[in-house]
Amino acid sequence: MIELTVCHLYGNLLNTYGDNGNLLMLKHRAKQHGILFNIEIISLNQSFDPSKYDLVFFGGGQDFEQRIVSLDLQTKKSDLSSYIENDGVMVGICGGFQLLGHYYVDAAGTKIEGAGALDYYTLNQVNNRFIGDIVIKNEEFGETYKGFENHNGRTFLGDQVKPLGIVEKGQGNNGEDRTEGAHYKQTFCSYLHGPLLVQNIPLTDRIIKQAVKNRFPKQAEELFS
Ligand code: GLN
């Protein structure tokens, strides 16, 4: 049986709205394809080894926990960037999505440094949150994803990243430009809870397939044919 090593980044601090369900879903679908997931949490004061992991999941959180994570993240930023740049598979949701970017200005106006691994930044909004059902369309994959968003942050993408989708219903990254999430190399970020990967199986399978392909290219074709 193929085994994948999966990192739940700050999994003991960032797990709002059941984002942990994304990992449960990945593990469940992987098992159906005959792939075993070994999941470990990497959190504060632990190093992140970019060569060790086949998949990294970075979930959502509240501003308080994001501030704590931000400080520790500065020690991991170069390893995270090299993981992403080397086509490592990564999923970032909401707070995790925000923290992979340059910075996040939280609801209280405090600027929280991100990992700077992806080209975007996040501002706050006063006395408002984007809350509700959301539907986005990814033209490249020809897939529609649905979920639930709940965030104060307004994220603005730079030139280096594509959105995960274009908003058909809801607010998305910033309520202005109809972008939602970010897609760069094999990193997929989104504001969608639900959890995202429970509600959107084609994306779940795409992520598992890519993770297998990176480590076991020959077996990936057989498993998913
Ligand atoms: N604290 C962040 C915000 O409100 C992220 C929230 C979340 O992860 N759901 O924008």
Side-chain angles (χ1 to χ4, degrees):
M1 191 181 233
I2 285 183
E3 295 194 23
L4 296 182
T5 307
V6 179
C7 170
H8 190 181
L9 202 56
Y10 303 104
N12 55 346
L13 290 166
L14 299 181
N15 181 22
T16 49
Y17 311 121
D19 281 344
N20 193 32
N22 288 306
L23 272 178
L24 296 176
M25 190 63 199
L26 284 163
K27 186 173 181 170
H28 173 70
R29 285 296 285 182
K31 196 171 165 197
Q32 290 180 328
H33 289 294
I35 302 154
L36 186 71
F37 263 38
N38 295 315
I39 303 174
E40 61 180 66
I41 290 178
I42 292 292
S43 191
L44 306 180
N45 304 317
Q46 291 176 291
S47 57
F48 172 79
D49 176 354
S51 62
K52 181 173 177 187
Y53 298 104
D54 302 305
L55 176 60
V56 176
F57 178 73
F58 196 1
Q62 288 154 356
D63 289 357
F64 179 77
E65 284 82 5
Q66 283 183 267
R67 268 183 235 139
I68 295 167
V69 166
S70 158
L71 296 175
D72 186 82
L73 201 54
Q74 305 314 310
T75 67
K76 297 181 176 60
K77 63 198 291 185
S78 66
D79 286 330
L80 283 170
S81 288
S82 80
Y83 177 81
I84 289 171
E85 291 300 327
N86 287 317
D87 289 322
V89 183
M90 166 97 80
V91 179
I93 303 292
C94 207
F97 165 31
Q98 293 168 343
L99 287 174
L100 286 172
H102 299 301
Y103 61 86
Y104 163 53
V105 179
D106 72 11
T110 307
K111 188 175 177 186
I112 298 174
E113 286 302 319
L118 298 176
D119 185 23
Y120 50 79
Y121 60 92
T122 302
L123 304 178
N124 63 0
Q125 52 185 323
V126 181
N127 293 331
N128 192 42
R129 294 182 72 80
F130 293 145
I131 303 174
D133 291 326
I134 174 164
V135 178
I136 65 171
K137 175 96 194 265
N138 182 304
E139 296 288 351
E140 186 184 342
F141 304 146
E143 291 169 2
T144 298
Y145 308 132
K146 60 183 179 176
F148 185 83
E149 60 182 331
N150 185 349
H151 53 110
N152 175 269
R154 294 176 297 131
T155 299
F156 296 88
L157 303 180
D159 297 337
Q160 305 299 315
V161 291
K162 296 176 279 191
L164 181 65
I166 299 299
V167 175
E168 295 196 331
K169 177 189 171 191
Q171 302 295 331
N173 282 345
N174 50 53
E176 293 173 29
D177 63 14
R178 293 187 63 224
T179 63
E180 202 296 316
H183 178 205
Y184 175 75
K185 295 196 167 196
Q186 300 306 335
T187 294
F188 302 85
C189 292
S190 178
Y191 273 113
L192 273 62
H193 300 287
L196 171 72
L197 299 180
V198 173
Q199 297 226 56
N200 302 288
I201 306 299
L203 183 58
T204 310
D205 285 351
R206 177 181 305 285
I207 286 164
I208 296 168
K209 184 176 178 181
Q210 187 61 49
V212 175
K213 207 171 159 186
N214 284 355
R215 184 82 64 184
F216 308 99
K218 201 164 148 278
Q219 287 93 327
E221 289 313 316
E222 288 162 18
L223 281 171
F224 291 89
S225 60

